[in-house]
């Protein structure tokens, strides 16, 4: 008797169609981020123009103007307020996104979470290795190894908006999840590698404030008049502790509940994210870009981008390291977990999105300021490298995505088609008997209308109006 054939493990689809709630969330989140990305582009261009015209002195005067209570250790320049204060709002939203992904999104299922997590880790490790290799060979400083590890989701989505690419929702969600995990590791890098001297009294006060924040949330206390002043106190204490103040933002974001109780249309985390995200994308990040991207660019400065090992390491890390790391991590994960790519996509699509992740504007500029705080001249060169690398990555990914834009447009049209006009895309109702009954009625009505038109046309054409 022949032995039974071995049962092959069922393959899992990589980057397949999202569930409807996840698709709606991604669409809403990316809509705000795309608008914020356009404002970010405008702010960056404004900063570059302002810093490279006769008005340069006024740019430096505004950026370096100090304001704030010195008695509380908060007499900061406008540039520092943008980097330490406004970016705390950005990381607060990142904390909420991460919490939502962990409890209600793709990262909730360990099998589904493996892909974006491994891709994000590889997408940070390879650029760091590229930077380290270039500077080891070229004799440069290794302090900036973390600069090319970050992805700027707002900038990336702004590029998508400009080139008009109809990226399928699965690829957009992959990019968003990558950025969320990327932000988490960027926060860890800032906390671990860029904290030098600790004020334990201030740190203890910040931890106590976070405990009060959590307790109030746990008790169901509501009202911005309670949380906003408390958040400001926590932020101030965290800043004075020696740990970068943006850590306070992500810590508070992670504390919010992102699961819905019975009868809730939105969880507290979703509601607050909906309120704060426009502030982050539309104000906080663009203002940070305005006061961070103002680099004096000349022929000599551009030459240094490709001759100084620190700058060259950043450019290659963003353009080559990001693309190779994310694509390689995705392919290896699919290969060793017996997963197969969605039949609607091909591997060059993944490489194009990986190239898009090489746009590392906001967090890269922040890490640059932390890594080269003692060398402003080198910091400006590396800033120019971040801008150059991000621009090259944007152009490269734009070309790759544009090649497949026709296919993407058809996929998006298929995802969005709603012939029965019930507000739910048809692809999500294929197993619903009521949907098929509605569609049958719609087709019958269309067929009847077509017959009437055919009969009317036949009658008009059959009349003999010639004179006898």
């Amino acid at each position: 008797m022949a032995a039974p054939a071995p049962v092959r493990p069922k393959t899992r689809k990589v980057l397949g169609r999202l569930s409807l709630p996840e698709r709606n969330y991604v669409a809403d989140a990316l809509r705000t981020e795309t608008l914020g990305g356009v404002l970010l582009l405008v702010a960056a261009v404004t900063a570059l123009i302002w810093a490279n015209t006769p008005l340069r002195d006024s740019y430096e005067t505004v950026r370096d103007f100090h304001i704030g209570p010195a008695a509380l250790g908060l007499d900061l320049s406008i540039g520092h307020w943008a980097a330490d204060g406004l970016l705390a709002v950005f990381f607060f939203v990142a904390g909420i996104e991460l919490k939502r992904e962990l409890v209600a999104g793709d990262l909730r299922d360990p099998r589904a979470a493996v892909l974006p997590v491994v891709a994000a880790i590889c997408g940070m490790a390879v650029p760091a290795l590229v930077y380290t290799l270039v500077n080891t060979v070229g004799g440069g400083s290794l302090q900036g190894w973390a600069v090319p590890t970050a992805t700027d989701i707002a900038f990336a989505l702004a590029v998508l908006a400009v080139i008009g690419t109809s990226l399928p929702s699965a690829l957009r969600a992959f990019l968003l999840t990558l950025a969320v995990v990327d932000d988490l590791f960027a926060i860890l890098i800032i906390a671990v590698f860029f904290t030098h001297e600790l004020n334990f009294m201030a740190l203890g006060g910040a931890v106590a404030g976070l405990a009060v924040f959590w307790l109030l949330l746990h008790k169901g206390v509501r009202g911005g008049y309670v949380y906003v002043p408390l958040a400001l106190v926590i932020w101030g204490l965290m800043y004075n502790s020696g740990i970068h103040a943006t850590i306070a933002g992500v810590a508070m974001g992670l504390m919010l509940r992102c699961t819905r109780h019975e009868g809730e249309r939105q969880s507290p985390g979703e509601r607050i994210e909906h309120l704060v995200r426009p502030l982050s994308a539309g104000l906080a990040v663009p203002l940070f870009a305005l006061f961070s991207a103002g680099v004096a660019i000349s022929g000599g400065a551009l030459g240094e981008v490709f001759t100084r090992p620190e700058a060259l390491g950043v450019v290659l890390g963003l353009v080559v390291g990001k693309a190779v790391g994310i694509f390689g991590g995705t392919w290896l994960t699919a290969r060793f977990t017996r997963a197969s790519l969605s039949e609607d996509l091909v591997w060059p699509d993944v490489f194009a999105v990986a190239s898009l992740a090489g746009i590392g504007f906001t967090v890269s500029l922040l890490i640059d300021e932390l890594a080269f705080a003692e060398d402003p001249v080198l910091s400006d060169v590396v800033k120019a490298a971040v801008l150059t690398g991000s621009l090259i990555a944007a152009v490269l990914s734009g070309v790759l995505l544009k090649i497949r834009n026709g296919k993407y447009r058809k996929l998006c049209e298929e995802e969005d088609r709603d012939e029965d006009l019930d507000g739910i895309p048809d692809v999500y109702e294929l197993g619903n008997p009521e949907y098929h009954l509605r569609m049958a009625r719609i087709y019958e009505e269309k067929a009847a209308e077509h017959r009437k038109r055919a009969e009317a046309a036949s009658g008009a054409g059959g009349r003999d109006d010639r004179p006898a």
Side-chain angles (χ1 to χ4, degrees):
M1 182 175 178
V7 179
R8 293 185 178 181
K10 186 178 180 181
T11 59
R12 183 173 52 84
K13 292 295 182 184
V14 174
L15 301 179
R17 184 178 297 123
L18 303 176
S19 66
L20 184 58
E22 186 71 7
R23 179 182 182 274
N24 292 338
Y25 169 80
V26 168
D28 183 57
L30 297 187
R31 195 177 298 115
T32 304
E33 291 289 359
T34 300
L35 176 60
V38 173
L39 295 175
L40 177 62
L41 284 172
V42 172
V45 172
T46 301
L48 287 170
I49 293 173
W50 194 358
N52 288 277
T53 63
L55 297 174
R56 174 176 174 79
D57 290 342
S58 65
Y59 176 81
E60 293 177 351
T61 300
V62 173
R63 183 190 61 193
D64 298 335
F65 181 77
H66 278 244
I67 187 172
L72 298 178
L74 297 174
D75 181 20
L76 309 178
S77 68
I78 297 295
H80 272 108
W81 277 112
D84 293 86
L86 292 177
L87 277 195
V89 179
F90 166 78
F91 278 107
F92 174 69
V93 174
I96 299 175
E97 288 177 337
L98 178 61
K99 179 69 173 290
R100 200 203 71 84
E101 287 289 339
L102 289 170
V103 301
D106 287 344
L107 302 184
R108 175 184 55 182
D109 179 1
R111 293 178 302 171
V114 168
L115 178 68
V117 170
V118 172
I121 291 173
C122 293
M124 299 186 81
V126 176
L129 289 173
V130 169
Y131 178 94
T132 302
L133 179 62
V134 170
N135 283 270
T136 299
V137 173
S141 171
L142 297 181
Q143 286 179 288
W145 64 269
V147 174
T149 60
T151 294
D152 193 314
I153 184 64
F155 214 140
L157 292 171
V159 171
L160 285 178
V162 170
I163 64 177
T165 300
S166 303
L167 203 63
S169 59
L171 286 177
R172 289 179 180 266
F174 179 59
L175 181 61
L176 180 62
T177 306
L178 271 178
V180 170
V181 179
D182 198 293
D183 287 340
L184 169 65
F185 285 103
I187 291 161
L188 293 176
I189 287 171
I190 291 170
V192 174
F193 295 99
F194 297 102
T195 297
H196 304 296
E197 296 182 5
L198 285 177
N199 181 330
F200 288 99
M201 185 173 293
L203 180 59
V207 172
L210 288 170
V212 173
F213 190 89
W214 178 86
L215 184 61
L216 292 173
L217 290 172
H218 187 66
K219 295 294 184 181
V221 176
R222 301 181 64 175
Y225 61 91
V226 174
Y227 291 105
V228 172
L230 178 58
L232 291 174
V233 170
I234 294 170
W235 175 86
L237 289 167
M238 190 69 76
Y239 177 84
N240 281 286
S241 74
I243 296 177
H244 201 269
T246 53
I247 304 300
V250 74
M252 287 183 279
L254 286 169
M255 289 183 181
L256 293 173
R257 175 170 60 82
C258 293
T259 52
R260 300 178 188 180
H261 288 171
E262 187 176 353
E264 283 186 332
R265 295 184 59 187
Q266 287 183 313
S267 66
E270 290 173 316
R271 184 173 64 251
I272 293 171
E273 181 187 5
H274 184 74
L275 292 173
V276 180
R277 185 187 286 276
L279 176 64
S280 169
L283 181 66
V285 174
L287 281 178
F288 169 75
L290 180 64
F291 293 111
S292 294
V295 181
I297 297 177
S298 62
L302 289 175
E304 283 192 291
V305 167
F306 297 100
T307 56
R308 291 201 65 158
E310 296 89 351
L312 182 61
V314 168
V315 173
L316 292 177
L318 289 172
V319 177
V320 179
K322 273 289 184 183
V324 171
I326 292 173
F327 178 81
T330 304
W331 186 86
L332 288 172
T333 303
R335 174 71 178 81
F336 288 105
T337 59
R338 298 182 181 275
S340 62
L341 190 66
S342 170
E343 56 272 8
D344 293 328
L345 302 173
V346 292
W347 282 109
D349 297 326
V350 180
F351 186 81
V353 172
S355 300
L356 188 63
I359 301 173
F361 194 76
T362 304
V363 181
S364 290
L365 291 178
L366 174 62
I367 294 176
D368 163 65
E369 293 184 353
L370 296 172
F372 300 108
E374 304 300 323
D375 192 344
V377 175
L378 180 55
S379 177
D380 281 350
V381 173
V382 173
K383 281 183 181 179
V386 170
L387 296 174
T388 303
S390 297
L391 179 61
I392 295 172
V395 172
L396 174 62
S397 59
V399 171
L400 294 175
L401 291 170
K402 203 70 176 177
I403 292 171
R404 292 269 292 167
N405 201 38
K407 175 66 174 178
Y408 295 153
R409 190 178 295 112
K410 291 179 182 178
L411 290 176
C412 287
E413 289 173 356
E414 184 66 26
E415 285 183 359
D416 294 336
R417 183 176 291 115
D418 183 18
E419 292 193 24
D420 59 345
L421 303 177
D422 66 343
I424 301 175
D426 296 337
V427 293
Y428 292 97
E429 296 189 284
L430 294 179
N432 183 0
E434 294 183 3
Y435 162 76
H436 291 288
L437 288 174
R438 288 197 301 271
M439 291 305 301
R441 286 196 296 268
I442 290 172
Y443 289 142
E444 287 175 4
E445 291 170 0
K446 287 183 177 180
E449 182 67 24
H450 179 73
R451 285 195 298 271
K452 286 181 181 179
R453 289 180 180 177
E455 290 170 0
S458 176
R463 289 198 305 267
D464 190 351
D465 295 329
R466 291 176 298 173

